Each structure stands twice: as structure tokens, then as C-alpha cells.
Amino acid sequence: MSLTSNRRASSSNSLRRRSSTQDLAEIVVTAAESSQNINNRISNSAQLRVSNMQLHGRDDDIKLLRSKLRELAKKDDCDEEDAAKNHVGKMILVSGTSGTGKSTLIQKGLGVGANRGYIFASGKFEDNLLKPLSAFSDAMTCLAKCITLNHNKKGGLTSGGQSIATLIKVKIQNEFDEEDVENLRRVFPGCAEILGTRRTSLLCPSSVANATVPLRRGSSSRLGSFSLNLLGGKESISRMHFAVRRLLKIVCSHFKGVVLFIDDLQWSDTATLDLLKSIVLDGEIPSLLIVGAYREDEVPDNHPLAFHIRELEEMNMSITKIKIGNLGVDYVIPLVSEALGMDDDDSKVKSLAETIHRKTEGNPFFILMFLRSLYDEKLLQFNYGVMKWTWDEDAVNSKIVTENVATVLVNKMNRLQEETQRMLMVASCLGATFRFSSVMTVMKNIPQVEMRGSMRDSMRASMISVSGTAATMGSSSASLLSLDLSNACTDQDGSDSSYASAIEEFEEEGLCEVDNEECRFMHDQIQSAAFELISPEQRDSFRGRIGSILLRTLPPEELETSLFEVVDLLNCAASNATDEERDELARMNLKAGVKASANAAFDTAKVYFMTGREALGSRGWEGDYRTMLDLCSHGANACFLTGDFDSMNELIDEVLSKDIDTKKKYRVSDIKVNSLHNFGRYNESINAALDFNCQLGLPALQKKPASKFTIIREYIRVKRLLKNKTAEDIANLPRLDDERYEMGQRMNEHLATCIYHVEPTMFPLIAFQSVTTTLKHGLSSSSPSGFAGLGMLLCGPFGKPHEGREMAKAAELILEKPGMRSRAVYTVFVTQSFCYHWTSPLQDTIAPLLDGYQRGLEIGDNDSACWCLLTRSYHIFFVGRALDSIQKELEASIPVLTQLKQDDKKLSIIAHLTTVKKLRGIDAEAGDKILDSMLATAASTGDFSLSSLVNVMKLEVFVFYQEWKDAIDLVRKAGNVRQCLTGFFHSVRYTFLEALTYLKAAESASGWKKRQMKKCAHKTIHLIRGWAKNGNVNVVHYLYILDAELAVLNGKNMKAKESFNAAITTSSRNGFLHDRALAHELASAHFRAQGDDYWGNYHIECSRACYQEWGCIGKKVGGTRGIVIVEEIIERDRRKCRRKQSTKQLGEGCLTVL
């Protein structure tokens, strides 16, 4: 028992000792943690708090920004029309001088919704960097990262369990074709992940680009053995803009709001400004807010940004402008107190803040940099005895008087270690954002001696002097592109560890922000101060040396990504380059210019092309002149698209003056012809195109009016070549493989457009020549438009609509061949506007024209797209669609045409809209003035198409309002409207209205005037009768109406009654509501004149009902007496029915009794 007790006692003592030991350990740990916390608090108190600070003095601005953010979420609470209005004008511009905190304000104000269904993405422009769309590309990359980061988050999943990123990929795959996705990948490489897989292009399928096509016998070349290498134009710009807007529309539909912040717009390229304007003007992108910041003192009135802002304001776009300045002393006090962690009621803090405010003028960035410099120079120290910051006010005052922000930053960098200073010099040349690996590559290939030689004298004086520095620099700057990098590191003592130490010092000193491989200067002024470390005399050669190192050392993929940055660096030292180096410099500028052109940034591309041309000089045409030719050709195109016409003409003349192959001059000749056409100098454009075809040795037309004999002769020749070929036979012709004829076909396209304005009689000859070339030599991308033009001629002037329809079908079948869709939308416009309405219902053209408009926007062919839109707007009027819906559509079309700069189409739309409003009784007097002014403008400019269009619309109003005197006056003065609108349905409609006007004029005339009017009417009716016999279903009711009026004029009442009934029935069956109303009204007038009030008032009431349904509320049909008579007739009919019913019942009763 005692042994057991001893054991128990021993065990109990052991437990107590163990417990005491554990308690002591816990006490020690707790004490250590408490001591660590105290040390941390002391350490934190002893550090300046100059990062992640509150915004002082910006409360109202933050409230405004966040209110705009909340407005984005209201789209779900408003109907579609209000939502579309709310989307337009979602733009905020924040301006202020450098260092006022514009970027911080926007990030604090709008970045708060990142975790609440909003996305905040930003990008920043850099000074002296030509890279096009750089900031917008960075913002799109940031947007893509935000989307993909939600992929694995619960909040990033939809109710169906799919991630938002997956839904966006699927939608892009379904809606975008291959070429658009490739363009977006090239312009925004950071968005590759959300762009996903691609579907086959409907317009230019690359999957069949190398497909084998039949060639003519004896041909030794294959498709693609030559290429005209057509240059990008306005189509590429429009296509890229439209693709970006479609992408944003898809992305924004999945979030409450998307904020795209573009910083430092004062350094923006024109391509980005144009793209932003296109996005802001698009009212169909939901929940998108565009925010920009710029330095107001660097944006004068003639700055491109100022011009774009004024242009948006002139378009009534709502832009929220926020202007911020320096802080007042009342806001500097809390800022300084927060940085020091002291009470802002402290008198010493107030005194220091007031002193700082006097020198810095309240600039927030300068305030923080100045506080940091005081700390670095130990003028501001933390006193651990009193646990407060202390400073010498006299020393601070003395420093304040003599220094500004630039000097503060330079002095700060002067205190850094030598390796860090050298790295800052290199990094400042690479941009605001740079890769650590690129800096290391450059550092390893530039000796320290050379680096010191590139420093300012004041910086170099503090370094160890090295003999032979000047000689080394002299030899090193002599060769920029032909460096021997194998011995570059002979006197280099740097190592990866020293570079890493320098990067750490970057962060510790608050100069750069490091994110893995990428580094970013914390502010533009820090980068500028780092650049100031380089001697002014050595800056260009130093940057050129960096560019040459990157050119030789970067992998091909990385060099392609950094192409613009590398070429910009190389161009800095072009003046010291040898001839061999200039040749390579020119090739690099050509490559950069072509890439910028592919990104639709022609303003930037022009700079590269001109720089490359300047590098070669006059010797560029000696020997291998291909680089010089490409530079001039691409440069002329870029100058044309950016409006630099003097430089364009200089480049064109330079190429045309050289004794080189004519085919090499095609591209500049094409630009010359196109530019002259755009300037309205049609005769010069025609001469240039004809001259070029002659130089190619092709048969060229003579510029003179074509006689009927010549046109018929050429038509017979084409007819023989066709030999009853079907559309399928034509589409299966071999591919054209002769470069000369391909060029000639392209020139014929320009000729067709210009000749239509100057000498329309030559247009058939151009179309015949294009078709002849196709039938003899094979298909080309110009063949669809050629056969469409032939179809237009056959349907219209030649009166062979079925043959014309076959040619239109051939044009559409050719479009389905690989590489033939460059003129797809134009072909759709021609076939639907000029061909198909002759043999098919007019209603059938409305949907294809809308599809052509949408496709035109997708591929950037805005001109043809807007022609489709314009023609469709008239077709829906001619088929009798409700006027209120037409008015809404026309009003929506005007801002679109304004944005696309289609002023000629906009005038036609305005004329149409004015007519619709007059028929609806809206602003009738103002509408008359608008139409009259358009006629005056058309007469002064010789625009017969516009004047003819306006006359058609005015005649519509006169006929529907029964103003026959004004109608006959217009017909007499209008001239040959049919010739100006040949092939359009407008000419058909005008012919009907003209014939009706002649008949009505004959009713009120007598003698020879009456006979003359009847003769004119018979002539036009004969035209319509011929169209009807050829199968034009759209004119059948026209013919019945005219036959009825002709019967009235001749006193054949039964014939008139039958024709009116047939006109009403036919127009009703075919859906021509407005023409049915007109037929009822004309019938009522006839029956009333015969004294038949019953049918007269019946037709009045039917006419009124049709006009009301159509929306023609401005027209007064009949009068109140007509309504009373109709009511009496209805009541009389009811009484008759009741009497008949009673008689029937009486008879049935008698039969029952019998």
C-alpha cells in the first residue's frame, strides 16, 4: 500500500511540475506575442503612411462617381426604349493637372463595386509611346482577367451552373466569325482566353482560303500565286469598331455594370479616341461606363481629345465632367496628420501642413513626395521617447523654398545605390510598365562604363571615375543595330542577386510597384525623374542602344509583342545609323506600320511609314526598291485615311514618277482614283482609272457619252458570250489568274461609281466590260458586282427582268465561292434594290436589305450598309407600313448615319422623314421649307439623284392630299426622274403617281390641253402595263387604279366601278394599305360625282379607316356629313334585313299551316 501511495504521490508531483512548466511556457509565449505586437505598433508608428490613404477634399466627387455607378444597375427597372436612352452618353471625364489625384479618385470612387456584380478595368497611356490602342488594350486585358477570375468563384456562376466566362465564350463562338475573332486576338492579345474557339467565317472563310479551284488550260499559276495586297481602308476601321462594340455588348450583358477607365488621354492616339467615340455613340451596349482622365493643361483647343469632346457634345451626348484641382490647406492638414499618424488638432502638425501647402500649392502627389524626402534626409524623424514624429521647422522651411517636385525626386534617386540608378535609367526608357527580364537583359549587355557615361554629370561625379569612358561611348554609339553582344559583359560585375536587390529598393522607396515579372512606375513624374538621370546629350543614343539589344535578344514571339516599343527606341538613334542599319531600320518601321494598319490605327502607322521612308532617303529606289515601294504605298494609304492629303499626293507622285513595272504602281493608283472620287472630282478620277488601264495594256473606254447603237452593240456581244449560260454555269467558271485583268476589274469598280455621277450613259459599257472579262478570263472578286450591274441594266432600261434576275442570281452564287465576298454587301444592295422587285413582291426585299445592312457593319463596308438601310426605309414606305413605325425607324437611323459620316444618305433619310411627318400632320410648314431647301441645294450642286428623290416624296404628299394643281406643276418641273432613279422602285412609284396626276389634270382641262394630258397618261400607263406583263406583281393594283381613272375620264362608269373594286381587292390582298386608302378615296369621288351617295360615302368611310390604320392622321377625308350619311345607310340596311327576316318567318309559318 505504501509503495502504491508513493507512486501516486510521485505521479501527482510530476503532473504538477508539468502543469507549472506548461503555464510558464504559455506566459512566455503570451509575453513574446505582446512584445511583438508592441514592436509592430511602434514600427508602424515609425513609418510614413503614404500609401492606401484616404481621399481628402474629394467627397462630393466620390458621391457623384458612385451615383453614376448605381445608375448602371437601373437598366433592369426600365423598358427597352428607356434603357436604350440611358445607355447613350455613359461617359465621365476627369480633368486636372499632374499630381492632383485623378486616377486615385476614379479608382476609389468606381472600383468599390468590383465584388458586387460590377467590373472595373483600367488602362493607361504613356508619353512618347506610339503603340496604338495601348491603354484600351490594357483595359480589355484587365477586363478579361476579371472575367476569368470569376470562373472558379461561386459568384461567377449563373443559375445554370455555368461560369460567366464559359457563357461569354459560347456566345462569341456563335456570333463572331473567324476573321473577326482573329482581328480581336491581334488587337487585344490579353483577351484570347475569353474569345474562345472560332466558327467558320461567313464572309471570308480562311478554312477554304487555299481551296483548289479550276484554272484555264495552259495556266501555270495557281490561285494565290499573285496578290494585289490591297491596303486596309475605312472598312477595316469600321469593322474593328463594330467588332469591339459587339464584344462589349456580350460582356456587359452579364454584369450589373462594367467600367472601362482610360488614364492619361492627353497622350492618346487618334485610333483610341475614334474607338471610344464609336462605343459611346452606340446606344445598345448595356451597363457600360467609359471613364477617362487627362491633364487639362496639356489639352489645348486644337488637341485631338478636345476635338472629339466637342464633336460628342455637338451630337448631344451626355458627358459628365469632373474637374479637380489642388487641395486647400484645410484638406492638407488631415492628409499630413494621416501620413504621420498624429492628431490633426496638433498645432505643430497644422504648422507643418501650412508650410507644405505654401510651397506645393496643395498638389497631393508633391505633398507626399516632399514628406518622403524629409524622411529620407532625416529632417523628419520618429522620436521613440515621446512616440511622435519630430522635425526642424526652420530646415523644412529652407528646403521648401529651394526645391520643387522634380528636384525632390531627382535628389531622392541620387541617394539610391548605383545599381538601382542604372536600372532606373533603363526602365525609364522601356515605359511606365516594364518587364524585369527585359531590364536584366539590357543591363547584362551594356557595360558599367558605358552606363556611367550616359549619366548626368552631377550623377556621374558621385560615381567612381573610369578612364576611357568617352572613348567607349563614342565607339558604342556608332553602331546601333549590328552589335556584337558576345563581349558586352566583359567589365560587368552585376549579378541576378544585385538586380533583385535593386528591384526591392524600387518597392521600398515607393518608386515602382512589382507584380511578379511586371513592374510599374508609381507615377508618371517618377518615370520622368528616372529619365532625367540620363545625360541629355546621350539620351537618344542610349535609347537606340537599348532598342538594338532588345531586337537581337528577344525571342520572336516576345519581339512581335513588343514591336512598337522596340521600333520607337531604334528610331531615337536613327541620325547616327549607318546605311546598312538604316535599311534594317526602314524594314522594322515598315513592319510596325503594317501592324498598326492591321489594328486600324492609321495615324500611328503613318508615322512609322514616313520614318522608314526618311531612313532610306533617295537611295531607297536603288537596287532592291521593294521596301521603299511598300513604305510609299502603305504611307499614301495611311495619309489618305488620316486626311494628310499633301503627304499622300507627294508619295503617290513619287511612285508614279519612277520607271518601274506598271503593276507595281497599282496600289498608289488605286489610292489616287479612290481619293479623287471621295473629293467629288469624278472626272479626274475617271481619267486616272482609264489611264492606268491603258498602261496595263487593257482595252479602255473613251470618256464620252455612249450612243444607243454602241450600248446595243456591246450588249449583243455580251449576249453571245453568255450563250444561254445559267447562273450555275457562270458561278462555276474558273478563277481569274492574270494579275493585269484583276487590277483592271478593280479599276472598273471605281469607274462604275464615278461614271454614274458624271456620264450615266457609259455605265452599261463598264458593266459589259466587267462581265466580258469574267466570261473570257475567269472569276474575280469584282465579278459579283459586275453581274449585279448587268442584272440592274436588264431589269431596268432593257426591260428584261427575268434575264436580269438570272444575272443577279449568278452574282449571289459567285459570292459563295472562296475569296469572292469583298463586295458582298454592295452586291446585295444592287440585287435587292434594282433587280428582284421587278419579278417578286417588294416585301421580299425588306429582310435581305436589313441583313445586308447588318453584314455591312460587321465587315466594315459602311457605305454599302447604309445604302441598304436607305433603300429599305423607302421600301417599307412603298409597301404601306404604318407611318408611326416608319417615323421611329427613320429617327433612329439619323444618328447612326451621323456617326458613320454618311451625310448623303442622311439627307435622303431626312427628306423621307419630313414626308412621313407631313402625312402624319406634324410640322407641315417646316417640312415644306426643308424639302424646298433640299431642292435648292441639289440644284446648286448638280445632285440630280437627291432632287429626284425629293420630287418623288413631294409628289406622294400632293397625291395623297389631292392637291392636283401642285402635283402637275411638280411633274412639269421635275424633269426625267425615271432616268435619275433608273432601276430603283422609286422610279416605278413615280411613274404611277405621274400617270395619276396626268389623268386628274385631264379631268379639269379641256381642248388640246386635255388631249395632251391624256397622251402623257397613256404613255406612262403603257410602261406600267409592260411591267405587269413581265410579271411585276407590285404594279398590278397601280394598273387597276389608272384603268379606273381612265374609264372615269372616258365616261365608262361600269368599267370604272369594276377597276376600282379590282384595285381595292388587289391592294388589300398584297398588303398595300396606303394604296387601298387612295383607291377608296378616288372611288368615292367618282360615285359622288355620279350622285350615288350610298357608295360614295361607303368608300369615304373605308378610306378614312385605311388612312387611320396607316397613320395618315394629317389628312382630312370627307366630312361630318359623310359620317352621318354612312350611319343612315347602315341603319337603312338594318331595317331592310329586319323586313326580309320578318317576311321569311311569315312565309315559313304559312307553309307550316298548309
Side-chain angles (χ1 to χ4, degrees):
M1 292 291 295
S2 61
L3 180 59
T4 303
S5 299
N6 291 335
R7 287 179 177 176
R8 289 176 178 173
S10 174
S11 175
S12 176
N13 292 334
S14 176
L15 289 173
R16 282 195 296 269
R17 285 194 303 271
R18 189 179 304 168
S19 175
S20 300
T21 303
Q22 290 176 349
D23 292 343
L24 179 60
E26 291 177 0
I27 293 172
V28 171
V29 170
T30 302
E33 290 177 352
S34 177
S35 175
Q36 182 65 35
N37 291 335
I38 293 173
N39 290 335
N40 289 338
R41 287 196 296 270
I42 294 175
S43 177
N44 291 335
S45 300
Q47 296 292 328
L48 281 175
R49 303 170 185 175
V50 294
S51 60
N52 297 323
M53 300 182 68
Q54 297 181 13
L55 279 180
H56 299 278
R58 311 295 190 202
D59 294 342
D60 293 338
D61 297 328
I62 289 179
K63 289 180 181 178
L64 177 59
L65 291 174
R66 291 181 178 173
S67 68
K68 294 296 178 181
L69 191 64
R70 289 191 295 270
E71 288 179 8
L72 293 180
K74 293 182 180 179
K75 66 182 180 70
D76 296 328
D77 301 329
C78 52
D79 57 28
E80 185 176 350
E81 184 175 353
D82 292 336
K85 292 179 181 178
N86 289 335
H87 296 159
V88 180
K90 289 291 182 75
M91 187 175 195
I92 300 175
L93 291 176
V94 180
S95 62
T97 57
S98 176
T100 51
K102 303 180 293 296
S103 305
T104 306
L105 170 67
I106 293 169
Q107 290 168 355
K108 293 279 188 181
L110 298 175
V112 294
N115 297 321
R116 300 201 301 265
Y118 297 88
I119 285 185
F120 180 86
S122 63
K124 176 182 173 62
F125 281 106
E126 299 180 24
D127 192 12
N128 299 320
L129 178 63
L130 287 177
K131 183 179 180 180
L133 300 169
S134 58
F136 194 86
S137 177
D138 292 342
M140 293 298 292
T141 301
C142 181
L143 177 65
K145 288 181 179 179
C146 292
I147 294 172
T148 53
L149 283 177
N150 287 330
H151 185 84
N152 296 321
K153 291 183 179 180
K154 185 177 181 180
L157 300 179
T158 63
S159 58
Q162 287 184 306
S163 68
I164 293 177
T166 302
L167 291 176
I168 291 174
K169 289 179 184 178
V170 171
K171 200 161 188 179
I172 291 173
Q173 179 182 1
N174 293 333
E175 295 189 11
F176 281 76
D177 60 39
E178 182 179 3
E179 189 172 355
D180 284 332
V181 172
E182 281 301 318
N183 289 337
L184 291 173
R185 284 174 179 267
R186 184 184 62 251
V187 179
F188 310 125
C191 296
E193 188 170 351
I194 68 167
L195 290 174
T197 57
R198 302 153 294 170
R199 66 181 175 87
T200 302
S201 173
L202 297 176
L203 297 176
C204 188
S206 62
S207 59
V208 293
N210 297 319
T212 303
V213 294
L215 293 174
R216 295 195 171 274
R217 294 178 181 177
S219 173
S220 60
S221 55
R222 291 192 57 191
L223 175 65
S225 61
F226 71 88
S227 173
L228 297 185
N229 193 19
L230 292 177
L231 309 178
K234 294 180 180 178
E235 293 82 4
S236 61
I237 300 174
S238 302
R239 180 168 191 169
M240 194 270 287
H241 288 184
F242 190 73
V244 172
R245 298 201 306 269
R246 289 168 64 201
L247 176 61
L248 289 174
K249 194 181 303 182
I250 293 173
V251 171
C252 294
S253 63
H254 291 85
F255 298 94
K256 288 184 178 180
V258 174
V259 179
L260 288 183
F261 169 40
I262 311 298
D263 200 2
D264 285 325
L265 282 172
Q266 74 277 359
W267 297 325
S268 172
D269 59 313
T270 306
T272 301
L273 297 178
D274 290 338
L275 177 58
L276 290 176
K277 183 177 71 173
S278 174
I279 294 171
V280 172
L281 290 173
D282 192 332
E284 298 182 357
I285 303 177
S287 308
L288 177 65
L289 180 62
I290 299 293
V291 184
Y294 64 95
R295 298 179 182 178
E296 59 181 354
D297 54 331
E298 297 183 24
V299 181
D301 291 339
N302 60 350
H303 193 279
L305 175 60
F307 172 78
H308 279 75
I309 294 174
R310 288 194 299 269
E311 192 172 17
L312 285 173
E313 291 175 337
E314 290 171 359
M315 295 179 180
N316 297 321
M317 292 296 104
S318 175
I319 302 177
T320 302
K321 294 184 178 181
I322 300 176
K323 183 177 180 179
I324 64 174
N326 293 334
L327 299 176
V329 65
D330 293 337
Y331 296 111
V332 175
I333 294 174
L335 188 153
V336 173
S337 65
E338 182 185 359
L340 300 179
M342 299 175 65
D343 191 351
D344 54 8
D345 291 333
D346 192 318
S347 59
K348 293 194 67 176
V349 172
K350 288 183 177 180
S351 176
L352 177 62
E354 290 171 355
T355 303
I356 293 175
H357 179 266
R358 281 197 302 272
K359 175 58 182 177
T360 63
E361 298 180 352
N363 185 283
F365 177 74
F366 194 2
I367 292 171
L368 298 178
M369 288 298 101
F370 182 75
L371 282 172
R372 189 66 185 249
S373 70
L374 293 179
Y375 174 77
D376 293 339
E377 297 176 18
K378 302 190 183 303
L379 297 177
L380 179 66
Q381 295 183 337
F382 187 78
N383 190 325
Y384 287 93
V386 296
M387 296 297 292
K388 282 187 178 182
W389 291 91
T390 59
W391 56 88
D392 186 342
E393 292 189 5
D394 293 335
V396 171
N397 278 320
S398 174
K399 178 180 177 59
I400 288 288
V401 170
T402 59
E403 293 188 355
N404 55 31
V405 66
T407 309
V408 168
L409 288 171
V410 171
N411 289 341
K412 177 182 181 63
M413 294 178 184
N414 196 19
R415 293 188 293 270
L416 302 176
Q417 56 179 332
E418 180 182 352
E419 194 72 19
T420 305
Q421 292 182 26
R422 293 201 298 267
M423 291 190 71
L424 280 172
M425 291 168 55
V426 174
S428 68
C429 298
L430 298 179
T433 302
F434 54 92
R435 296 179 65 84
F436 178 48
S437 59
S438 299
V439 176
M440 288 182 60
T441 300
V442 174
M443 294 286 290
K444 291 178 179 178
N445 287 284
I446 299 182
Q448 289 186 8
V449 175
E450 184 177 339
M451 291 286 288
R452 288 175 183 150
S454 299
M455 288 184 172
R456 278 182 175 271
D457 294 338
S458 58
M459 304 295 296
R460 192 163 57 242
S462 62
M463 307 294 179
I464 301 174
S465 61
V466 180
S467 61
T469 298
T472 303
M473 280 302 302
S475 61
S476 64
S477 61
S479 179
L480 299 173
L481 300 173
S482 306
L483 294 178
D484 181 9
L485 301 179
S486 59
N487 298 321
C489 304
T490 54
D491 60 343
Q492 183 84 346
D493 61 359
S495 61
D496 291 348
S497 60
S498 64
Y499 297 146
S501 175
I503 289 294
E504 290 178 2
E505 192 172 11
F506 281 2
E507 280 193 289
E508 292 173 359
E509 297 297 328
L511 300 175
C512 294
E513 181 181 42
V514 181
D515 182 13
N516 295 328
E517 176 66 16
E518 287 195 351
C519 306
R520 182 176 64 86
F521 283 105
M522 296 298 292
H523 198 275
D524 300 321
Q525 294 200 29
I526 296 177
Q527 182 188 1
S528 299
F531 189 70
E532 289 294 322
L533 297 175
I534 309 172
S535 172
E537 296 80 12
Q538 300 293 334
R539 286 174 185 170
D540 288 342
S541 61
F542 186 70
R543 286 188 289 181
R545 179 69 187 277
I546 293 175
S548 63
I549 292 172
L550 295 177
L551 176 64
R552 302 303 178 190
T553 58
L554 288 179
E557 297 81 5
E558 192 172 341
L559 178 60
E560 179 65 24
T561 303
S562 306
L563 179 63
F564 297 114
E565 293 87 341
V566 172
V567 175
D568 289 345
L569 290 169
L570 292 173
N571 287 336
C572 292
S575 59
N576 295 327
T578 64
D579 287 347
E580 183 180 353
E581 293 163 355
R582 286 176 177 273
D583 291 342
E584 183 160 3
L585 189 63
R587 288 191 291 270
M588 293 302 297
N589 275 278
L590 175 61
K591 188 175 181 180
V594 170
K595 184 176 180 180
S597 298
N599 293 351
F602 292 98
D603 206 61
T604 303
K606 180 184 71 173
V607 177
Y608 287 120
F609 294 137
M610 300 301 280
T611 303
R613 173 174 172 263
E614 184 179 352
L616 289 178
S618 59
R619 64 183 186 83
W621 292 103
E622 301 171 1
D624 186 6
Y625 58 83
R626 286 178 297 180
T627 301
M628 190 66 167
L629 177 64
D630 288 339
L631 286 168
C632 291
S633 301
H634 285 283
N637 185 58
C639 291
F640 167 60
L641 294 173
T642 55
D644 187 0
F645 302 119
D646 291 337
S647 299
M648 177 198 72
N649 290 325
E650 180 184 348
L651 293 171
I652 290 175
D653 293 340
E654 181 176 347
V655 175
L656 295 180
S657 65
K658 301 301 178 182
D659 186 18
I660 57 178
D661 186 4
T662 301
K663 291 185 291 186
K664 303 295 184 183
K665 301 178 181 180
Y666 166 74
R667 289 183 292 178
V668 294
S669 299
D670 183 77
I671 296 167
K672 181 178 181 179
V673 172
N674 194 25
S675 63
L676 290 171
H677 170 256
N678 283 4
F679 297 151
R681 296 157 63 178
Y682 300 123
N683 287 306
E684 296 177 54
S685 180
I686 293 170
N687 292 333
L690 293 175
D691 290 344
F692 183 77
N693 281 348
C694 287
Q695 293 176 23
L696 285 175
L698 300 177
L701 300 172
Q702 292 183 352
K703 184 189 169 189
K704 63 179 183 179
S707 64
K708 290 184 179 179
F709 173 78
T710 303
I711 294 174
I712 294 173
R713 182 192 65 198
E714 296 302 318
Y715 169 66
I716 293 173
R717 291 177 178 175
V718 171
K719 187 78 172 176
R720 289 174 179 172
L721 287 173
L722 285 170
K723 294 180 181 179
N724 298 322
K725 285 185 174 67
T726 64
E728 290 76 10
D729 295 334
I730 296 171
N732 289 325
L733 289 172
R735 181 70 182 264
L736 175 64
D737 60 344
D738 191 323
E739 193 173 14
R740 293 185 308 117
Y741 284 103
E742 176 79 9
M743 294 175 178
Q745 289 282 65
R746 296 289 177 86
M747 285 298 172
N748 281 339
E749 289 187 33
H750 293 303
L751 283 171
T753 306
C754 294
I755 282 177
Y756 191 82
H757 292 279
V758 176
E759 189 52 64
T761 59
M762 290 185 65
F763 178 79
L765 303 183
I766 298 296
F768 295 154
Q769 190 176 70
S770 177
V771 171
T772 299
T773 302
T774 297
L775 294 174
K776 287 184 175 181
H777 303 282
L779 299 174
S780 69
S781 59
S782 301
S783 297
S785 57
F787 278 94
L790 178 60
M792 178 181 70
L793 293 171
L794 292 173
C795 289
F798 284 82
K800 299 179 181 294
H802 294 286
E803 293 181 17
R805 183 184 182 89
E806 191 70 12
M807 294 301 100
K809 182 180 177 182
E812 292 181 343
L813 291 176
I814 295 173
L815 289 176
E816 298 177 4
K817 299 292 182 178
M820 296 291 182
R821 299 193 66 87
S822 62
R823 299 284 286 172
V825 181
Y826 173 78
T827 303
V828 169
F829 159 67
V830 173
T831 56
Q832 300 298 330
S833 301
F834 296 95
C835 301
Y836 287 132
H837 68 80
W838 294 98
T839 54
S840 301
L842 187 63
Q843 291 88 338
D844 292 350
T845 66
I846 294 174
L849 285 170
L850 179 61
D851 182 63
Y853 165 69
Q854 294 171 337
R855 287 182 176 226
L857 294 181
E858 290 178 9
I859 66 174
D861 189 359
N862 289 343
D863 192 60
S864 299
C866 292
W867 275 119
C868 291
L869 177 66
L870 176 63
T871 306
R872 179 183 180 276
S873 69
Y874 279 98
H875 283 193
I876 62 177
F877 175 82
F878 293 142
V879 300
R881 184 169 293 184
L883 291 177
D884 58 342
S885 65
I886 296 177
Q887 180 178 342
K888 291 179 181 178
E889 186 168 321
L890 293 174
E891 290 174 341
S893 300
I894 291 176
V896 173
L897 295 173
T898 301
Q899 178 184 352
L900 299 177
K901 298 181 179 179
Q902 299 287 328
D903 295 335
D904 54 341
K905 285 90 171 175
K906 186 171 74 171
L907 281 176
S908 301
I909 289 289
I910 292 173
H912 191 185
L913 177 60
T914 303
T915 302
V916 171
K917 286 185 174 180
K918 280 176 63 64
L919 291 172
R920 299 194 68 207
I922 302 173
D923 298 333
E925 294 183 2
D928 291 334
K929 294 180 180 179
I930 292 173
L931 295 177
D932 291 340
S933 66
M934 283 187 176
L935 284 175
T937 302
S940 62
T941 58
D943 191 344
F944 300 111
S945 298
L946 178 60
S947 62
S948 300
L949 201 66
V950 173
N951 282 325
V952 172
M953 292 292 99
K954 292 190 70 173
L955 190 57
E956 289 276 5
V957 177
F958 290 150
V959 169
F960 280 112
Y961 279 5
Q962 307 285 294
E963 298 172 356
W964 301 113
K965 185 178 182 303
D966 293 331
I968 193 63
D969 290 340
L970 185 147
V971 168
R972 287 170 176 170
K973 297 176 181 178
N976 196 345
V977 173
R978 275 189 297 277
Q979 183 177 354
C980 296
L981 299 175
T982 300
F984 279 111
F985 191 81
H986 305 63
S987 63
V988 178
R989 182 70 180 179
Y990 179 82
T991 303
F992 162 65
L993 298 175
E994 181 187 29
L996 186 59
T997 301
Y998 282 134
L999 290 173
K1000 283 298 181 180
E1003 286 184 15
S1004 59
S1006 61
W1008 66 271
K1009 287 187 176 181
K1010 184 172 185 176
R1011 291 192 298 272
Q1012 185 183 20
M1013 293 295 104
K1014 287 182 66 175
K1015 183 178 179 181
C1016 293
H1018 277 293
K1019 185 178 180 180
T1020 51
I1021 292 173
H1022 179 72
L1023 285 175
I1024 298 175
R1025 202 178 303 280
W1027 297 337
K1029 286 182 179 180
N1030 281 324
N1032 193 333
V1033 297
N1034 302 299
V1035 301
V1036 175
H1037 65 287
Y1038 291 171
L1039 196 58
Y1040 282 130
I1041 292 175
L1042 295 174
D1043 284 344
E1045 284 298 317
L1046 189 59
V1048 171
L1049 187 62
N1050 294 329
K1052 299 178 180 180
N1053 296 331
M1054 288 301 297
K1055 173 66 174 177
K1057 182 177 180 180
E1058 292 174 0
S1059 297
F1060 276 128
N1061 289 336
I1064 293 168
T1065 302
T1066 308
S1067 58
S1068 176
R1069 182 173 62 245
N1070 294 337
F1072 294 93
L1073 179 63
H1074 58 325
D1075 292 332
R1076 178 185 171 191
L1078 179 62
H1080 275 298
E1081 186 175 15
L1082 295 173
S1084 70
H1086 166 65
F1087 285 114
R1088 279 189 165 186
Q1090 296 298 315
D1092 191 344
D1093 290 339
Y1094 179 88
W1095 287 109
N1097 289 285
Y1098 167 78
H1099 283 293
I1100 286 177
E1101 190 63 21
C1102 291
S1103 176
R1104 179 183 291 108
C1106 291
Y1107 278 125
Q1108 288 289 339
E1109 184 179 352
W1110 185 38
C1112 186
I1113 56 180
K1115 179 177 176 59
K1116 304 299 181 183
V1117 183
T1120 57
R1121 178 58 186 161
I1123 299 175
V1124 173
I1125 292 175
V1126 170
E1127 291 176 351
E1128 292 175 355
I1129 293 172
I1130 294 173
E1131 183 61 30
R1132 186 175 63 189
D1133 289 343
R1134 288 174 181 170
R1135 288 197 299 268
K1136 286 182 179 179
C1137 290
R1138 285 197 295 269
R1139 284 198 300 270
K1140 289 180 180 179
Q1141 188 174 6
S1142 299
T1143 303
K1144 182 179 180 181
Q1145 290 174 353
L1146 178 60
E1148 290 175 352
C1150 293
L1151 289 173
T1152 302
V1153 172
L1154 292 174

